[in-house]
Amino acid sequence: QGLAEDIGAIDFMEVTGIAESALQAMELLTKQSPDIIFLDIEMPKLNAFDLLHTLDKPPMVILTTAYSHYAPESYDAGVIDYLLKPISFDRLKKACVKARDFHKQQITGSTSPDYFFVKSNGRYEKIMISELLFVEAADNYIFLNTVSKRFLVYRTLKSMEEYLPAQQFVRVHKSFIVAFDKVDGFEGNQLFIGRHSIPVSRNFREALVARMAAK
């Protein structure tokens, strides 16, 4: 009840149902189509993961629990967020904002020019474009390197190049895209962003030099 009251106090959230067990939750989900559900991992008879496995197209999910050891399994389940009890109102609101932004992105079919979402290690992560330093290809995956973290994402470098705004990002190698305004230096066939040294291939070098000269 306390969690439901806190959720209802967030201006863009509305509580449409409360279930005291996974079975009650399953019954509610046959009658309603919520955008998001909050699930306590440990419930009578079926836990949250058991419940999610029964759903063909589950809504967005935020898990709540008093135990941190469920974190790896929760990320594998592709949940929006994982809240450890006791849950502060501030932490709850951040999770709800994250869910709202992701939902808005899915509905519109586009992203805000300021950020985008990716799924990394089973968890949806918000990437601020202003914090993205460079993108690195790794077989069928890419690494998104930001000012604070590094995310492994199942996506091609080509699709990422097509998505990122061309005025802010530049391809410098078959395996690298960099944020042009984050470049600290360039010498020979090496480009420098902070402590990172990134190779520049001959095919992209001329265009890079021309772009630098134009600034």
Side-chain angles (χ1 to χ4, degrees), residues 111 116 129 135 142 155-167 169-171 176-177:
T111 62
F116 58 95
I129 287 182
V135 185
I142 57 172
R155 189 167 180 172
T156 65
L157 192 71
K158 179 175 172 48
S159 70
M160 202 69 223
E161 181 180 20
E162 292 172 350
Y163 172 79
L164 292 170
Q167 69 272 23
F169 293 85
V170 59
R171 184 83 169 262
F176 288 89
I177 298 168

Side-chain angles (χ1 to χ4, degrees), residues 5 33-34 42 46 90 94 164 188:
E5 290 178 4
S33 299
E42 295 190 348
L46 290 176
D90 181 61
K94 285 180 180 178
L164 292 170

Side-chain angles (χ1 to χ4, degrees), residues 194-209:
R195 58 184 177 80
H196 303 284
S197 177
I198 297 165
V200 177
S201 66
R202 185 171 55 185
N203 293 340
F204 296 99
R205 190 177 190 280
E206 185 175 339
L208 178 63
V209 171

